[in-house]
Amino acid sequence: MEEYKIAVIGLGYVGLPLALELAKHHEVVGFDLNQEKIRAYRDGIDATGEAGGPALKKTRARFTSDENQLKGCNFFIVTVPTPLHPDRTPNLEPVKSAFRTVGKYLTKGTIVVLESTVYPGTTEEICVPILEETSGLALGADFKVGYSPERINPGDKVHTLSTIVKIVSASDGEALKKVGDVYRSVVKAGVYEAPSIRVAEAAKVIENAQRDVNIAFMNELSMIFNRMGIDTAEVLKAAGTKWNFLHFSPGLVGGHCIGVDPHYLIYKAELLGLAPLIVPAGRAVNEGMAKFVADQIVRELLRVHGRIDPDTRVGVLGFTFKENSPDSRNTKVADLVLELEHYGFEVIIHDPHADPAAVRSEYGLELAERDALRNLDAVVIAVGHDEFRGTDFVPEIRSMLKDGRRMVFDLKTLHPKEAFRKVGLEAWSL
């Protein structure tokens, strides 16, 4: 395999683990505009929780926010975020900015690979022209491009970079082999060579759209079965005994993948004059779940206690968009908190994984310590963190509630309802 000086552009939950793995076999420069993040990495502090301090302290990768350090790199991998504008259209500014930076340091023979989730056509229609304009070089004759979608699952210590098959694609066969060789050096599970860049882009965007639609179906079923007085978890358990039943669960769908990526596909379809039905419908169902849950909390409190006190205090356990992750970007728990506050409730939020400063900056909300969860009228288990599991946790919930209060809203069905009944509690779940 050729010797490469690799630059990883964007050092979040995708770029950081990639840079660390690549540095075991190649010379690597990790670049990010966030100087505070770079200082933390140099000090061995991993705010993403994906790599860990020990890995940062022993890595050979060089972390920098000085773009001049990209000079001499001949293999670039772009792993920047692809968020949405307020109108839910794709915000490709981080990608465009990254490619303008790369273009300044592009030399003949260089390969540039995009990992960020985009709609089909982005790499060739948007990124390549930026590289050509910025560098004065031409695709094919002077440089090559590729697309290899990230498949990192935040907080998952089993399905990691090296254990997940990596899709690779490139602008020609020669580049495809080189891109594949670089990723094979760090991905033990192997690589899958897609026939084109657009196929690879499309494969990535539908991975998350598929999950979004399936979870939306579960959420809709939960609404139906709750109205019918049927336990959704028990229905899914029974249906799951059939060999080809797909196992998904209802819940709040947030984050920067499932809650975002379908909009990229919708956007591209609409540009082509199509009016997709299923993907937007799934998005609409999942976007409405926070309001549905808040309404059910009010209904259940009225049913059990007969009235809603003006000083009702609700404890919300978990704020991040998924379990055992510090990432609170686009978390739908924030929407739930807002809905509860609209009802006039005082909401006390506790999350052992979330960064309080990030939550304060992004949402204007304060996180509470665990011992602040006292004298509550109701408890909502919103995220399935390990800290909220286990048989010992149910009695602890009992101690959080006021005398005479007994409602627990176990949105993730972490505990059997019988466990709550044994300590005098009543549980509602999706």
Side-chain angles (χ1 to χ4, degrees):
M1 185 173 67
E2 291 186 31
E3 290 291 322
Y4 294 107
K5 182 179 179 182
I6 300 175
V8 178
I9 312 296
L11 298 174
Y13 77 101
V14 174
L16 179 62
L18 180 62
L20 295 179
E21 285 298 319
L22 287 169
K24 296 175 182 178
H25 308 277
H26 310 273
E27 182 181 356
V28 173
V29 176
F31 174 79
D32 198 287
L33 293 173
N34 188 324
Q35 296 181 12
E36 184 178 339
K37 181 189 295 183
I38 294 299
R39 283 194 293 269
Y41 290 165
R42 288 174 175 172
D43 292 338
I45 301 170
D46 175 17
T48 71
E50 293 302 309
L56 281 170
K57 290 178 180 178
K58 68 181 182 182
T59 185
R60 296 184 302 168
R62 290 187 292 113
F63 300 117
T64 183
S65 57
D66 178 8
E67 68 174 52
N68 290 315
Q69 297 300 312
L70 300 175
K71 193 175 296 181
C73 291
N74 56 2
F75 198 108
F76 291 85
I77 303 177
V78 176
T79 62
V80 297
T82 45
L84 297 172
H85 289 297
D87 63 357
R88 302 192 185 283
T89 56
N91 179 0
L92 290 173
E93 286 309 311
V95 170
K96 292 177 181 178
S97 176
F99 273 83
R100 282 192 288 267
T101 299
V102 171
K104 297 177 189 177
Y105 302 95
L106 204 61
T107 56
K108 286 193 175 185
T110 297
I111 295 176
V112 185
V113 178
L114 176 62
E115 284 210 7
S116 309
T117 303
V118 292
Y119 55 76
T122 301
T123 304
E124 293 159 303
E125 297 169 6
I126 293 177
C127 299
V128 168
I130 290 174
L131 290 177
E132 290 183 326
E133 180 182 354
T134 308
S135 68
L137 302 176
L139 176 67
D142 300 316
F143 68 91
K144 309 290 179 70
V145 296
Y147 182 78
S148 181
E150 60 89 3
R151 280 177 163 173
I152 296 294
N153 187 26
D156 190 337
K157 303 306 179 185
V158 176
H159 302 97
T160 60
L161 172 65
S162 64
T163 64
I164 303 172
V165 173
K166 198 82 164 70
I167 296 175
V168 295
S169 63
S171 49
D172 60 38
E174 179 188 10
L176 181 61
K177 183 182 184 309
K178 292 179 178 180
V179 171
D181 285 345
V182 167
Y183 282 107
R184 284 186 189 95
S185 70
V186 296
V187 180
K188 296 176 183 176
V191 303
Y192 174 84
E193 296 183 351
S196 71
I197 288 175
R198 290 183 179 224
V199 165
E201 291 170 328
K204 171 55 183 176
V205 78
I206 71 164
E207 288 175 10
N208 287 329
Q210 181 191 65
R211 286 187 56 78
D212 195 38
V213 168
N214 277 290
I215 296 170
F217 179 44
M218 297 299 108
N219 278 333
E220 191 161 78
L221 291 179
S222 176
M223 295 180 193
I224 295 169
F225 294 143
N226 266 287
R227 183 63 61 92
M228 298 173 70
I230 300 173
D231 189 320
T232 306
E234 292 298 336
V235 174
L236 296 179
K237 186 189 300 184
T241 60
K242 189 180 181 189
W243 75 91
N244 60 354
F245 185 80
L246 302 180
H247 295 273
F248 289 89
S249 301
L252 301 176
V253 184
H256 38 82
C257 291
I258 299 179
V260 172
D261 297 351
H263 288 290
Y264 276 71
L265 186 59
I266 295 167
Y267 174 79
K268 184 64 174 180
E270 291 177 342
L271 282 182
L272 297 172
L274 300 173
L277 300 176
I278 293 176
V279 179
R283 274 286 72 228
V285 170
N286 287 338
E287 286 291 336
M289 285 307 291
K291 185 178 189 311
F292 171 74
V293 171
D295 290 347
Q296 296 310 302
I297 289 173
V298 171
R299 288 169 63 97
E300 289 298 302
L301 290 178
L302 282 171
R303 179 184 65 81
V304 172
H305 302 300
R307 63 191 180 93
I308 301 290
D309 293 333
D311 59 348
T312 295
R313 304 177 77 242
V314 177
V316 173
L317 306 185
F319 189 80
T320 59
F321 85 89
K322 68 173 296 185
E323 64 275 6
N324 304 321
S325 170
D327 200 335
S328 58
R329 286 178 293 173
N330 195 35
T331 175
K332 293 305 172 186
V333 182
D335 293 359
L336 175 59
V337 171
L338 184 63
E339 292 290 342
L340 292 174
E341 289 180 339
H342 280 167
Y343 276 111
F345 296 167
E346 178 186 355
V347 183
I348 298 90
I349 313 163
H350 170 70
D351 192 305
H353 294 271
D355 178 359
V359 172
R360 185 181 306 113
S361 173
E362 180 71 17
Y363 302 101
L365 297 171
E366 295 293 334
L367 297 183
E369 295 297 328
R370 193 155 170 167
D371 58 10
L373 298 169
R374 294 289 182 269
N375 297 315
L376 303 175
D377 293 279
V379 170
V380 180
I381 307 176
V383 184
H385 293 319
D386 286 346
E387 289 84 350
F388 306 149
R389 299 175 183 268
T391 56
D392 292 342
F393 191 69
V394 173
E396 185 170 345
I397 293 177
R398 169 70 274 176
S399 69
M400 298 176 185
L401 293 164
K402 297 175 182 175
D403 290 341
R405 301 303 187 188
R406 63 178 187 272
M407 282 305 304
V408 180
F409 298 87
D410 185 6
L411 305 189
K412 305 296 291 185
T413 316
L414 300 187
H415 305 277
K417 288 184 169 57
E418 181 59 30
F420 290 111
R421 283 195 288 267
K422 285 182 178 179
V423 295
L425 301 178
E426 186 172 340
W428 180 95
S429 61
L430 284 169

